[in-house]
Amino acid sequence: MPGLLLGQVFPDFEAETTDGNIKLHEFLADSWGILFSHPRDYTPVCTTELGRAARLSQEFTDRNVKMIALSIDDLEDHNGWTKDILAYNSEESDCCSLPFPIITDKKRDLAVALGMLDPDEKDKDGVPLTARCVFIIGPDKRLKLSLLYPATTGRNFDEILRVVDSLQLTAGKRVSTPVDWQPGDCVMIPPSMSEEEAASLFPSGVYTKDLPSGKKYLRYTPHP
Ligand code: BEZ
């Protein structure tokens, strides 16, 4: 099964989208990118996901992240389905167009190349549908994160924003973010950093939790 590893350059594919033809790297330019796939147009979970993604689009823009969706149906279906997604959103948003393009992958070429097919979810002809993938791509065009959910489980786009915050912070600072971290919370100092280096890099303070092992690896510092 083909797939992508973290750190690999994301394929610079050409695709037909609801906003015209694109080449991925040119589309992303200097931004971060998020590509999220959907099993099928006119399906319930996908509609709620695209609606939520649209409502959060300003948050992604504020983080310099360009969004792009993918579903295997054709442009006519994408355009018809878009009206349903906007209607689903209408109580919370008066947006009259989706703020990101949807790629059409009718022949499933991208779904195969990017390892997105879910062998357990098939269409009426027995052909596997795309799973719910999320790829986050850095400005260097390398894959920074991937998530793969089955068709029956919708994603949490607030969590995706949270991981963008972590990825962007840890791309520029030598820190890690702990479980359930939110921007503003303390961050952690990686095990490879000496106490002396940590003290000089983080003058606002390093707090080390005492542990039964006596090992001093649980080290926190305020969000830099
Ligand atoms: C959905 O979006 O609800 C869905 C799509 C394909 C398979 C299962 C669920």
Side-chain angles (χ1 to χ4, degrees), residues 38-49 81 118 121-122 129-130 132 150-153:
H38 297 271
R40 205 89 239 205
D41 294 6
Y42 299 112
T43 52
V45 176
C46 297
T47 302
T48 62
E49 286 190 320
W81 183 38
D118 178 352
E121 275 310 328
K122 300 197 172 115
L129 299 175
T130 36
R132 301 184 192 281
T152 42
T153 302

Side-chain angles (χ1 to χ4, degrees), residues 71-214:
S71 176
I72 53 179
D73 294 295
D74 61 22
L75 284 183
E76 196 184 334
D77 280 335
H78 285 359
N79 288 325
W81 183 38
T82 295
K83 295 190 184 105
D84 290 356
I85 297 162
L86 296 172
Y88 164 77
N89 266 358
S90 61
E91 277 175 23
E92 293 180 51
S93 153
D94 55 7
C95 200
C96 52
S97 61
L98 272 189
F100 46 78
I102 311 176
I103 295 171
T104 176
D105 189 28
K106 196 93 184 98
K107 294 194 193 139
R108 295 171 167 82
D109 293 337
L110 282 174
V112 170
L114 299 174
M116 292 176 169
L117 289 184
D118 178 352
D120 284 343
E121 275 310 328
K122 300 197 172 115
D123 67 10
K124 60 179 175 11
D125 303 317
V127 179
L129 299 175
T130 36
R132 301 184 192 281
C133 285
V134 176
F135 293 115
I136 299 183
I137 304 157
D140 58 1
K141 308 290 181 292
R142 291 182 185 275
L143 180 65
K144 304 297 179 190
L145 177 136
S146 68
L147 294 173
L148 183 56
Y149 282 36
T152 42
T153 302
R155 290 156 287 193
N156 180 328
F157 278 77
D158 292 302
E159 167 62 2
I160 295 169
L161 273 180
R162 193 190 74 87
V163 297
V164 166
D165 286 331
S166 172
L167 290 169
Q168 293 186 336
L169 175 67
T170 58
K173 307 256 188 241
R174 288 175 59 200
V175 295
S176 324
T177 61
V179 61
D180 298 338
W181 175 86
Q182 294 288 344
D185 290 352
C186 282
V187 297
M188 304 196 89
I189 295 166
S192 57
M193 192 181 291
S194 70
E195 278 185 42
E196 297 70 35
E197 194 178 11
S200 77
L201 271 182
F202 305 111
S204 50
V206 175
Y207 162 73
T208 307
K209 175 138 179 77
D210 289 332
L211 296 168
S213 66

